[in-house]
Amino acid sequence: MSNIQVLATERQIRQAVRRIAREVSRRYQEESILLVGVLTGAFVFMADLARELYRMGMTDVEIEFIDISSYSGTESGQIRFDRDLTVPISGRHVVIVEDIIDTGATLAFLLKLLEVREPASLIVVALFNKVTRRVETLPSERIITGIDLPNKFVVGYGLDRNGKFRHLPFVGIVAS
Ligand code: XMP
Ligand code: MG
C-alpha cells in the first residue's frame, strides 16, 4: 500500500463542493444549465457537484463530458483533444467542470473552443487550484475554484498517477 500525505480531507472537499454548488445555484437559480465535465479527472467532482446542485433545488441540469488533456507537468500548453461534446451548446448556459487548474492551458483552450459556439453564458468550476503555476491568464470573473494547493503533483478524488489513485476519497501526494 502506498504512503499518501493528505492535502485535502474528505470533509474539506465536501465543504468546497458545497460552496461551489451554492455559487452555481445562486448564479443560475431557475435557469437550465449544461455541466461539461473534463475527462477523466473531473468524474468524481461531477458526480458530487451534480447531486449537490439537486439538493440545492436545481432540477434543470444536463451532464456532458469532453475529453481534453494537457501534457501534465509541462508549460508547453500542448493539448490533446480526444472527444467532443455530443450536443450543441448555442444559447445554453454552460458550466465547465474541471478537477484542477495548473498552468491554465487546458482551460484557456477549452474556453476558446466553446466560446465560438455561442453559449448564452460560459463559466468554469474547478475544485482544485495550483495558484503559483499559472501561465495563461484566465477570466477570473468566470472561474470559481474550491481548494488552493501547493505546486505538487497530487492524486485522488479523480486525479491519477499513471491511471491509479483516482478512487481515493481525499487528495494527497504519493510518497514513493
Ligand atoms: P493545466 O496546466 O492545463 O493543467 O492547467 C490542468 C490539467 O492537468 C492535469 N493536472 C493534474 N493531474 N495531478 C493530476 O493527476 C496533478 O497534480 C495535476 N495538475 C494538473 C489535470 O488533468 C488538469 O485537467
Ligand atoms: Mg485534465
Side-chain angles (χ1 to χ4, degrees):
M1 195 53 191
S2 306
N3 189 10
I4 293 161
Q5 182 199 342
V6 178
L7 291 185
T9 64
E10 288 186 65
R11 185 186 152 85
Q12 287 169 328
I13 291 172
R14 200 158 44 239
Q15 286 170 344
V17 172
R18 240 175 244 155
R19 192 162 48 71
I20 291 170
R22 215 174 293 126
E23 180 59 26
V24 172
S25 62
R26 191 188 63 75
R27 286 197 195 199
Y28 290 106
Q29 304 224 326
E30 305 297 310
E31 305 278 6
S32 158
I33 62 170
L34 176 67
L35 301 177
V36 172
V38 186
L39 290 171
T40 305
F43 81 102
V44 183
F45 178 34
M46 174 67 95
D48 284 348
L49 177 70
R51 287 174 295 175
E52 201 55 49
L53 289 172
Y54 179 79
R55 292 184 197 109
M56 290 179 184
M58 293 199 73
T59 47
D60 200 347
V61 174
E62 287 171 47
I63 296 175
E64 275 275 315
F65 286 94
I66 196 165
D67 194 350
I68 284 180
S69 35
S70 62
Y71 293 100
S72 60
T74 74
E75 288 172 18
S76 62
Q78 286 196 71
I79 308 285
R80 213 179 68 196
F81 185 17
D82 287 329
R83 177 189 186 271
D84 203 347
L85 301 175
T86 65
V87 296
I89 60 165
S90 164
R92 306 287 316 264
H93 292 292
V94 175
V95 178
I96 298 172
V97 178
E98 174 65 305
D99 47 11
I100 188 166
I101 313 178
D102 188 1
T103 65
T106 306
L107 282 177
F109 176 89
L110 200 47
L111 285 168
K112 229 177 275 170
L113 181 84
L114 298 185
E115 198 69 77
V116 296
R117 300 182 190 181
E118 301 184 332
S121 69
L122 180 61
I123 67 165
V124 175
V125 297
L127 186 55
F128 300 104
N129 186 23
K130 290 185 194 169
V131 199
T132 61
R133 286 261 300 165
R134 200 75 86 254
V135 173
E136 296 282 344
T137 313
L138 298 171
S140 58
E141 73 287 355
R142 291 204 274 153
I143 316 266
I144 301 166
T145 59
I147 299 171
D148 286 348
L149 292 177
N151 179 19
K152 299 265 173 52
F153 193 81
V154 295
V155 300
Y157 201 79
L159 294 159
D160 73 309
R161 192 180 74 175
N162 300 327
K164 296 191 195 304
F165 305 110
R166 292 193 195 275
H167 64 309
L168 305 184
F170 50 85
V171 157
I173 303 167
V174 183
S176 48

